Amino acid sequence: MPPKRASSSKRKAAADSDGEDASQSTKKAKLDGADATSSSSSNTVQGAQPTNKVLPLDISFPPRISDCIRIATWNVCGLATSQKKGFKYYVEAEDPDILVLTETKVNNEPVDPSLKSRFPHSYWTIAEKKGYSGTAVLSKIKPLSVNKTIPGHPNPSIVKGRIITLEFENCYVIGTYVPNAGTELKTLDVKNEWNEHFTKYIRELDQKKPVIWTGDLNVAPTEIDLSNAKKNWNKTPGYTEAETTAFKNILNPPETEQLSNKFVDVWRQEHPSDKHYTYFSYRFNYRAKSIGWRLDMFVLSERIVDQVKMCEIRSEIYGASDHCPVTMEIEGPL
């Protein structure tokens, strides 16, 4: 989810990042646009991310690793708009066993025969406010149970549209579209409350079974997870001391919580120094400038991290959304 920088200058704020659920004035992307690039080639130097502004003409990925489950997450920045810009071509190429969608902005559960045929088990949570937030988990595998709440959270309207937990035999899969701390950090208290109750929730689940947590987590954990870190520190939602500390404490619980297990930010563990991002604002040509944030990720209970065989940002899949998908393969069954 795009963070919005706190600033007295609206134009300056926009130059750093976009506001949550803000409408975009970009033109409709075309699959055969001039900026399209093949997924098997790159228009950037080795190690850098692609800078295409619409989806590639040809989308293909390596075959999945044997005996693995493929899970993908994608902030689609409005499902209806994304579907007009090539959403289905990515889904067909990725063909995940579980697909977590965030910021769907749907007002009713979509009737999409192609999605239903691919994912017979689909779960949607829709915000009370129309055209706002929204999370979905689409699965080829039937879960044992489904939960769309954070137990103990005092404000159900904040939670609605932002979390879905699927329980499987060997693990939990949590998909989240974590709240934004707001312009000028006006809703940081809402974010802090979410973090408090979510942290308790994920730790309680982890005591029962390992957890796979994914989606738009709306935090840049460290300075290498966003551009212009120094300028944004404690000024921009997603990169404040309160938010980064809450995330760090999930990964490595404080000594006072001796019974809590550790979690791992999988992509970062596998790419300890790469400055790759999952979100690039549509504004100010930020994609071409590689100015972005890493907000979408997979966080796993430490004891199952060795089962992960692949975790990648699908950096070339840009244009159907202002976010890139992230995908992971883990030894099954779930």
Side-chain angles (χ1 to χ4, degrees):
M1 177 191 66
K4 188 170 183 180
R5 183 178 177 190
S7 173
S8 59
S9 167
K10 292 184 179 179
R11 182 172 178 83
K12 184 177 180 181
D16 287 324
S17 46
D18 286 349
E20 180 189 30
D21 298 302
S23 61
Q24 304 293 347
S25 58
T26 55
K27 295 180 180 179
K28 180 179 179 181
K30 297 181 180 179
L31 290 178
D32 58 351
D35 289 311
T37 59
S38 169
S39 61
S40 60
S41 64
S42 174
N43 59 347
T44 61
V45 297
Q46 185 175 4
Q49 288 187 282
T51 56
N52 55 297
K53 295 181 183 179
V54 298
L55 291 189
L57 290 171
D58 300 305
I59 301 175
S60 62
F61 304 114
R64 77 179 59 204
I65 300 168
S66 179
D67 299 322
C68 281
I69 299 294
R70 179 175 288 185
I71 305 174
T73 184
W74 194 10
N75 178 319
V76 292
C77 193
L79 180 60
T81 300
S82 183
Q83 287 175 320
K84 297 176 183 178
K85 296 179 179 180
F87 167 88
K88 70 174 183 178
Y89 299 110
Y90 163 72
V91 176
E92 289 172 355
E94 189 74 85
D95 191 27
D97 296 294
I98 297 176
L99 176 61
V100 175
L101 302 177
T102 60
E103 201 175 359
T104 61
K105 299 184 181 181
V106 300
N107 298 322
N108 300 285
E109 184 173 329
V111 179
D112 187 327
S114 62
L115 279 181
K116 192 65 178 178
S117 63
R118 185 178 295 273
F119 303 106
H121 312 288
S122 58
Y123 309 94
W124 302 77
T125 180
I126 300 168
E128 293 178 358
K129 182 179 178 180
K130 288 188 175 182
Y132 191 76
S133 65
T135 302
V137 181
L138 313 179
S139 178
K140 296 179 180 179
I141 308 162
K142 185 177 181 180
L144 301 178
S145 66
V146 180
N147 180 32
K148 301 180 182 180
T149 67
I150 298 178
H153 194 291
N155 192 341
S157 65
I158 295 296
V159 175
K160 191 175 182 181
R162 294 192 177 274
I163 183 169
I164 301 175
T165 302
L166 270 57
E167 178 188 7
F168 296 96
E169 183 176 356
N170 298 309
C171 71
Y172 293 96
V173 175
I174 307 175
T176 60
Y177 179 42
V178 174
N180 186 285
T183 304
E184 299 182 354
L185 307 178
K186 290 180 179 178
T187 54
L188 181 57
D189 57 339
V190 173
K191 179 70 170 292
N192 290 340
E193 185 175 59
W194 167 284
N195 284 335
E196 176 187 351
H197 291 280
F198 179 79
T199 299
K200 181 180 178 182
Y201 176 57
I202 194 172
R203 287 176 180 166
E204 287 177 349
L205 291 183
D206 180 68
Q207 293 297 322
K208 302 172 186 176
K209 300 178 184 181
V211 175
I212 297 171
W213 173 30
T214 188
D216 183 344
L217 309 192
N218 195 20
V219 62
T222 70
E223 63 182 359
I224 64 172
D225 292 308
L226 75 162
S227 305
N228 304 317
K230 185 176 180 180
K231 183 173 66 173
N232 285 288
W233 178 242
N234 277 329
K235 298 177 182 177
T236 306
Y239 193 56
T240 63
E241 184 173 4
E243 294 167 284
T244 57
T245 298
F247 185 79
K248 180 177 67 175
N249 286 343
I250 288 178
L251 301 187
N252 295 289
E255 292 182 2
T256 55
E257 301 181 22
Q258 297 179 356
L259 297 179
S260 297
N261 296 319
K262 291 185 178 182
F263 285 81
V264 175
D265 177 353
V266 176
W267 187 90
R268 176 53 69 204
Q269 176 174 274
E270 296 185 0
H271 306 82
S273 60
D274 288 352
K275 295 183 178 181
H276 286 188
Y277 310 123
T278 64
Y279 161 71
F280 302 87
S281 172
Y282 283 139
R283 301 178 181 183
F284 301 100
N285 207 27
Y286 277 0
R287 170 70 168 178
K289 298 174 183 177
S290 294
I291 297 175
W293 294 59
R294 188 175 71 95
L295 301 174
D296 310 82
M297 56 196 85
F298 282 89
V299 174
L300 271 63
S301 298
E302 184 182 45
R303 61 189 182 278
I304 60 169
V305 169
D306 288 345
Q307 296 172 225
V308 175
K309 302 305 176 184
M310 178 273 280
C311 185
E312 295 295 342
I313 299 171
R314 298 300 198 195
S315 298
E316 68 273 37
I317 305 302
Y318 183 85
S321 168
D322 52 7
H323 288 245
C324 300
V326 186
T327 190
M328 180 187 77
E329 291 183 6
I330 185 168
E331 287 180 332
L334 292 180

